[in-house]
Amino acid sequence: MRIFLSSLFALVFLGCASYPRKNGFESVKTIQEETLNPYFSDVSKDYIYRAKIEAFDKTFGGLFIVKKLGPAQHRIVFTTEMGNTIFDFTFQGDDFKVNRILKEMDRKILLNILKRDLKALIAEHSPVLQTFNDNGDIVYATKILSKKHYFYRTEGLLKKIVRVGNGKEKVNFIFSGIEEDLAGKIEILHNIFPLTLTLKRI
């Protein structure tokens, strides 16, 4: 009975534990005041990716284009290969404007998800709340649009962002094929909603 109660207590404790505690992060001194995401930070570049979005049993493919217009300002356009607009968004700081969107995707829940996902994808600087060590990776805790995010850096490169809620991973942003502040492939994987976004740089 004592073993059962101990196990039950441990299960409840871990279930309520914070994300860093669940993952065994080691807290370290914060030196860097802001996170750094360099992948969409150059105003002189057009970032073009071949994209596939799978959402609510529908699949959309085409070109995903990001243009930095100024400090904390980006425009993101997703078009078909033929040039028809699927969505066209503008971000200015935390403000979000829908310039155009395909009727099939014009659903409030999907728009809110895309807003949070794409804002996390392009946010260059967010204040660091805490810093951790995870088996050699440096992990920065921050908030984007009031949601807790963890930025994982491996050998100085941003390899992953995790959005967390109630101590659990909600969304994973995976960056690979990194060369000169360009991510060759980006995956946004939701653990709750039926939504994935895959980008491959052209």
Side-chain angles (χ1 to χ4, degrees):
M1 183 68 174
R2 182 179 298 172
I3 295 174
F4 171 75
L5 289 174
S6 297
S7 299
L8 183 61
F9 176 77
L11 186 63
V12 171
F13 178 76
L14 287 173
C16 298
S18 68
Y19 180 75
R21 180 174 292 174
K22 281 183 178 180
N23 289 277
F25 290 176
E26 174 191 357
S27 182
V28 297
K29 183 179 179 181
T30 296
I31 298 175
Q32 186 171 311
E33 295 184 356
E34 294 181 324
T35 61
L36 178 61
N37 178 355
Y39 299 136
F40 300 99
S41 61
D42 191 338
V43 294
S44 69
K45 292 181 179 178
D46 292 332
Y47 297 91
I48 304 175
Y49 288 79
R50 198 170 303 281
K52 182 171 75 170
I53 294 179
E54 297 174 272
F56 301 95
D57 297 323
K58 293 186 180 294
T59 300
F60 303 89
L63 298 178
F64 184 90
I65 304 159
V66 180
K67 178 68 177 176
K68 182 177 180 181
L69 304 174
Q73 184 178 9
H74 291 78
R75 188 163 183 177
I76 300 177
V77 179
F78 181 34
T79 72
T80 65
E81 297 279 0
M82 300 298 293
N84 298 317
T85 301
I86 297 174
F87 62 66
D88 178 350
F89 303 143
T90 300
F91 288 86
Q92 174 68 64
D94 288 343
D95 292 333
F96 172 69
K97 180 183 178 183
V98 178
N99 301 311
R100 193 172 179 184
I101 189 166
L102 191 69
K103 185 176 180 180
E104 292 175 87
M105 297 189 75
D106 192 8
R107 300 168 59 177
K108 186 175 181 180
I109 187 170
L110 183 56
L111 278 172
N112 285 335
I113 293 170
L114 288 172
K115 174 186 175 180
R116 291 193 183 281
D117 287 357
L118 299 179
K119 175 61 179 176
L121 186 65
I122 62 173
E124 294 174 58
H125 304 285
S126 301
V128 172
L129 306 176
Q130 289 177 284
T131 306
F132 304 93
N133 185 301
D134 177 38
N135 296 319
D137 289 349
I138 299 299
V139 184
Y140 299 104
T142 187
K143 280 191 175 181
I144 300 173
L145 297 179
S146 77
K147 300 295 184 181
K148 186 69 72 73
H149 290 71
Y150 292 84
F151 283 58
Y152 287 71
R153 298 189 75 86
T154 303
E155 299 179 352
L157 298 176
L158 177 62
K159 291 294 189 74
K160 182 168 71 169
I161 302 172
V162 178
R163 181 183 304 140
V164 171
N166 299 320
K168 297 178 180 179
E169 293 188 359
K170 302 292 186 181
V171 188
N172 284 271
F173 301 74
I174 310 296
F175 305 93
S176 57
I178 299 164
E179 295 180 7
E180 299 180 354
D181 291 340
L182 290 170
K185 183 177 179 181
I186 302 171
E187 296 173 277
I188 302 177
L189 310 171
H190 282 254
N191 296 328
I192 295 177
F193 290 101
L195 173 63
T196 62
L197 172 59
T198 304
L199 307 174
K200 294 182 180 180
R201 186 163 63 91
I202 297 175

